[in-house]
Amino acid sequence: TVYTCVRFPQSFIRYVIGTLVLQHYKPQVIGMENIPSSGGVLMLGNHTSYLDWAVIQMACPRRVRFVMTRSYCEKWYLKKFLDFFGVVPLSHPASKPALETIETLLNQGEVVVLFPEGSVSRTGQMGVFHREFERAVTNTNALIIPFYLRGLSGSVYSFATSKRREMYRLKRTRDVSVCFGKPMRKDSTASEVKKAVLELSIHSWIHYTDILDPVPIQWLKTAKKLKNKECLIDFDGTSFSSYRLLTAVILFSQALKKKVELDQTIGVLLPTSSGGIIATLSVLMLGKTLATLNYTASPASLNQAVKQGNIETILTSRRFLPRLIHKGFPVSEFLSGKNVVFLEDLKSGLSKSNLIKTALLVKILPTFLLRIFYVKKMPLDTTAVILFSSGSEGPPKGVQLTHRNIIGNIKQIAYVLNPREDDVLLGILPLFHAFGLTVTSLLPLVEGIPLVCYPDPTNAPEIGKLCAQHQATILCSTSTFLRLYNKNKKLHPLMFKSLRLVVAGAEKLSNEVREDFKAKFGLDIYEGYGVTETTPVASFNLPDVLVTSDWSIQQGTKIGTVGLPLPGTGFKIVDPDTFEELPTGKPGLILIGGLQVMAGYLKNEKKTKEVIIEKDGIRWHKTGDKGVLDEDGFLTILDRYSRFAKIGGEMVSLGAVEETVGSVIDNKEIEIAAVALPDEKKGERIILLVTSGLDPAFLKQKLIEQKVNPLMIPDAIANVDRIPRLGSGKTDFPQAKELALSLTAS
């Protein structure tokens, strides 16, 4: 049966639908010129809400026929309406008559719209593209037009939580965009079409960020919306409502303004705490550039960072400095000659009358006046933060992140996180780390999620107590820290009972940590991926969702992968030498594209050009990671290109060496690190550092017995007290290499 509809003029249909849609939304169409004026067209794209059809109908200049799931078409309150528009019902799996109907319509020169995901997204991610459309278009002369829809995922017509909808209403305009891509061949596969749609999402999200505000203004709007709701809880029990935090930030920023007028970049040497949060927001409100300083780095690295950033003023706390001294940090030498501003001094200089006046103004004045009075106007592409890279493989680099980078990445994460009303985020990662600053500090504040701060991610019992006390639901950490929680006997499983989402990033999540965490706490760990240069989040896994209408599963996670790219983010796997894109399933260099790609390295244009590629209006960052994409778009990280040893002309993965040795040792208490050192005969040789008194000869013999590839057997094995670590928990490979050099020399 061929479904027909009353042939009202397209302009009339668009007018009727437009009148309804424009009451609540402001649609934007990108790439309309890509739609041919005649001939069969199959449009394929993402499915974010039950209102998608109306927006596409408005955006497309031609008459449109939709393909929808049969269960929706047969609902009594929708049936007549959908029949009027000639909707084609589709079963799952697709029935032969439905596919024949689509084929007939395309051969008649119609525009047919199909959502290959099959149902509205529950995860916020772009799900698996089903391949049925490939059969429907085979015997036609139709073109495929990919499209990407953005803006309806937080509406009442989507599966957004009430919390997400509340934040969605904060926008001054509920803008919606449809981005049409260039025509594709009719024999394009589902995987190829999904790649095209993902690239369209980048353009769409870049356009979207044009209407966003810099970080302090976005947070100001949220604070005014939430009023007296609790938003920040410090580890010492100090609690802040949104109004109280806004008052504190305004007061501190005004007091700080007098001391830093001549400085553009302000260094912050503070832990994850209410003081660190207030200092961060105060600097940003003044329109200054925030430089978060890594107090766990070596003094040489930290001094290099300060010199690189021309940092003359450092904001810190008298209460915090003794802790640094206790850990052996040379505080007096580091701060010598600097303009040191203490939070305690700023606080003591505040008068009670000024406090009362500011608190009243915060409550009485509307957002736009508070913005005019207290927030310096700044373009979105102004550098907001300089984060110095971890230095895990060399000297730290100053990564310049703009307000567009940070606020865009926050919105991308919130899109898929879909926060709930009862969500509480446990912030334990340091402010000097991109993961800690963007995800576990600024995101909850901007998105209105209560934040509980704790400055030491290694103190498992205290973290457990805070989690239980405040019923935290979201924990972001690293594999190294999660390993500590697995081992710590004082951290009882019931302390983590309230958690609904545990996300690991910053380093590869080991299977051992994943399995032990599940065994002890009964919780899954969802692995994510990103680098400092991408603000940092590029992808992460999410829980799978059951669709009860047809009992299908929307897959959000694949164990061993780092998930699907965030909306507005794309991955390319390319040849590391030619940068030519490789076929799906073939490993290569990972490129990350999207709005979150940094502005560049501080005072290092040459290095910036080495790692940034611009193509078709998209900036792609060369990560240095080796990975592979599967048919559904899930990314697997295989290794670092820099973490290879070249032995006799053969490239040997140091990560693979560590995994192999770890499986042979089979002892969770032993930590290992493999490094490559120069060798006159073979080019390089592998040295293994081991944190135990394990006999090197015995270990080598076991590797031989297990028939391990001889190239992967370490040339030397050295016992050490500890493996050098960075503040994020990752292995400090330059320090490990230096340690290996000193041990082999002796």
mmCIF file of all heavy atoms in Angstrom, residues 89 125 150 275-276 324 372 382 472 478 500 584 621 634 638 736:
data_model
loop_
_atom_site.group_PDB
_atom_site.id
_atom_site.type_symbol
_atom_site.label_atom_id
_atom_site.label_comp_id
_atom_site.label_asym_id
_atom_site.label_seq_id
_atom_site.Cartn_x
_atom_site.Cartn_y
_atom_site.Cartn_z
ATOM 1 N N PRO A 89 4.264 3.940 8.422
ATOM 2 C CA PRO A 89 4.575 3.191 9.649
ATOM 3 C C PRO A 89 5.631 2.127 9.379
ATOM 4 O O PRO A 89 5.611 1.457 8.353
ATOM 5 C CB PRO A 89 3.235 2.559 10.025
ATOM 6 C CG PRO A 89 2.478 2.473 8.750
ATOM 7 C CD PRO A 89 2.954 3.582 7.862
ATOM 8 N N GLN A 125 22.970 10.415 23.628
ATOM 9 C CA GLN A 125 23.945 10.074 22.607
ATOM 10 C C GLN A 125 23.236 9.661 21.324
ATOM 11 O O GLN A 125 22.063 9.297 21.327
ATOM 12 C CB GLN A 125 24.825 8.910 23.080
ATOM 13 C CG GLN A 125 25.721 9.236 24.257
ATOM 14 C CD GLN A 125 26.968 9.999 23.837
ATOM 15 O OE1 GLN A 125 26.921 10.785 22.915
ATOM 16 N NE2 GLN A 125 28.063 9.783 24.524
ATOM 17 N N ARG A 150 19.366 19.758 16.781
ATOM 18 C CA ARG A 150 19.835 20.134 18.106
ATOM 19 C C ARG A 150 18.870 21.142 18.726
ATOM 20 O O ARG A 150 18.351 22.024 18.053
ATOM 21 C CB ARG A 150 21.222 20.773 18.026
ATOM 22 C CG ARG A 150 21.897 20.951 19.383
ATOM 23 C CD ARG A 150 22.822 22.138 19.403
ATOM 24 N NE ARG A 150 22.150 23.340 18.961
ATOM 25 C CZ ARG A 150 21.278 24.027 19.691
ATOM 26 N NH1 ARG A 150 20.942 23.623 20.903
ATOM 27 N NH2 ARG A 150 20.706 25.110 19.210
ATOM 28 N N GLY A 275 36.937 27.663 49.146
ATOM 29 C CA GLY A 275 37.878 28.747 48.878
ATOM 30 C C GLY A 275 38.387 28.701 47.450
ATOM 31 O O GLY A 275 38.494 29.729 46.773
ATOM 32 N N GLY A 276 38.713 27.493 46.961
ATOM 33 C CA GLY A 276 39.175 27.337 45.589
ATOM 34 C C GLY A 276 38.108 27.716 44.580
ATOM 35 O O GLY A 276 38.387 28.359 43.561
ATOM 36 N N LEU A 324 51.098 22.076 52.202
ATOM 37 C CA LEU A 324 52.086 21.944 51.132
ATOM 38 C C LEU A 324 53.487 21.765 51.709
ATOM 39 O O LEU A 324 54.271 20.950 51.223
ATOM 40 C CB LEU A 324 52.051 23.180 50.221
ATOM 41 C CG LEU A 324 50.820 23.351 49.325
ATOM 42 C CD1 LEU A 324 50.995 24.571 48.426
ATOM 43 C CD2 LEU A 324 50.576 22.111 48.473
ATOM 44 N N ILE A 372 25.875 43.780 34.705
ATOM 45 C CA ILE A 372 26.467 45.083 34.351
ATOM 46 C C ILE A 372 27.367 45.598 35.467
ATOM 47 O O ILE A 372 28.468 46.100 35.225
ATOM 48 C CB ILE A 372 25.348 46.110 34.037
ATOM 49 C CG1 ILE A 372 24.628 45.719 32.737
ATOM 50 C CG2 ILE A 372 25.920 47.525 33.924
ATOM 51 C CD1 ILE A 372 23.367 46.526 32.474
ATOM 52 N N THR A 382 37.547 34.804 24.393
ATOM 53 C CA THR A 382 38.615 35.237 25.292
ATOM 54 C C THR A 382 39.154 34.029 26.059
ATOM 55 O O THR A 382 38.382 33.154 26.470
ATOM 56 C CB THR A 382 38.080 36.269 26.307
ATOM 57 O OG1 THR A 382 37.515 37.359 25.597
ATOM 58 C CG2 THR A 382 39.179 36.771 27.222
ATOM 59 N N ALA A 472 25.611 11.586 47.850
ATOM 60 C CA ALA A 472 26.126 11.908 46.518
ATOM 61 C C ALA A 472 25.696 10.841 45.519
ATOM 62 O O ALA A 472 25.620 9.657 45.843
ATOM 63 C CB ALA A 472 27.649 12.010 46.553
ATOM 64 N N THR A 478 39.684 8.768 38.766
ATOM 65 C CA THR A 478 40.631 8.136 37.847
ATOM 66 C C THR A 478 40.821 6.684 38.256
ATOM 67 O O THR A 478 40.488 6.291 39.384
ATOM 68 C CB THR A 478 41.997 8.848 37.884
ATOM 69 O OG1 THR A 478 42.627 8.596 39.157
ATOM 70 C CG2 THR A 478 41.858 10.342 37.681
ATOM 71 N N ARG A 500 24.814 6.696 41.655
ATOM 72 C CA ARG A 500 24.144 6.134 40.477
ATOM 73 C C ARG A 500 25.061 6.124 39.258
ATOM 74 O O ARG A 500 24.818 5.406 38.292
ATOM 75 C CB ARG A 500 22.868 6.911 40.141
ATOM 76 C CG ARG A 500 23.077 8.287 39.496
ATOM 77 C CD ARG A 500 21.763 8.871 39.006
ATOM 78 N NE ARG A 500 21.888 10.190 38.415
ATOM 79 C CZ ARG A 500 22.100 10.412 37.111
ATOM 80 N NH1 ARG A 500 22.206 9.402 36.287
ATOM 81 N NH2 ARG A 500 22.213 11.648 36.649
ATOM 82 N N THR A 584 36.798 2.205 8.879
ATOM 83 C CA THR A 584 36.279 1.769 10.176
ATOM 84 C C THR A 584 36.891 0.421 10.556
ATOM 85 O O THR A 584 36.953 -0.497 9.736
ATOM 86 C CB THR A 584 34.737 1.643 10.115
ATOM 87 O OG1 THR A 584 34.191 2.920 9.795
ATOM 88 C CG2 THR A 584 34.175 1.169 11.447
ATOM 89 N N HIS A 621 42.166 18.149 16.796
ATOM 90 C CA HIS A 621 43.367 18.037 17.631
ATOM 91 C C HIS A 621 43.986 16.658 17.474
ATOM 92 O O HIS A 621 43.317 15.626 17.632
ATOM 93 C CB HIS A 621 43.023 18.267 19.105
ATOM 94 C CG HIS A 621 44.164 17.975 20.035
ATOM 95 N ND1 HIS A 621 45.332 18.699 20.036
ATOM 96 C CD2 HIS A 621 44.333 17.005 20.978
ATOM 97 C CE1 HIS A 621 46.161 18.212 20.932
ATOM 98 N NE2 HIS A 621 45.581 17.182 21.517
ATOM 99 N N PHE A 634 31.827 3.553 18.665
ATOM 100 C CA PHE A 634 32.506 3.462 19.958
ATOM 101 C C PHE A 634 34.026 3.462 19.729
ATOM 102 O O PHE A 634 34.520 2.787 18.837
ATOM 103 C CB PHE A 634 32.098 2.196 20.707
ATOM 104 C CG PHE A 634 30.733 2.268 21.324
ATOM 105 C CD1 PHE A 634 29.599 1.952 20.590
ATOM 106 C CD2 PHE A 634 30.573 2.662 22.653
ATOM 107 C CE1 PHE A 634 28.330 2.015 21.156
ATOM 108 C CE2 PHE A 634 29.309 2.723 23.229
ATOM 109 C CZ PHE A 634 28.184 2.405 22.474
ATOM 110 N N LEU A 638 44.083 2.246 22.226
ATOM 111 C CA LEU A 638 45.029 1.133 22.194
ATOM 112 C C LEU A 638 46.344 1.464 22.888
ATOM 113 O O LEU A 638 46.905 0.641 23.602
ATOM 114 C CB LEU A 638 45.300 0.717 20.742
ATOM 115 C CG LEU A 638 44.064 0.266 19.949
ATOM 116 C CD1 LEU A 638 44.431 -0.006 18.507
ATOM 117 C CD2 LEU A 638 43.435 -0.971 20.583
ATOM 118 N N ALA A 736 59.731 8.514 35.803
ATOM 119 C CA ALA A 736 59.993 7.071 35.783
ATOM 120 C C ALA A 736 61.217 6.767 34.919
ATOM 121 O O ALA A 736 62.047 5.905 35.259
ATOM 122 C CB ALA A 736 58.769 6.328 35.249
#
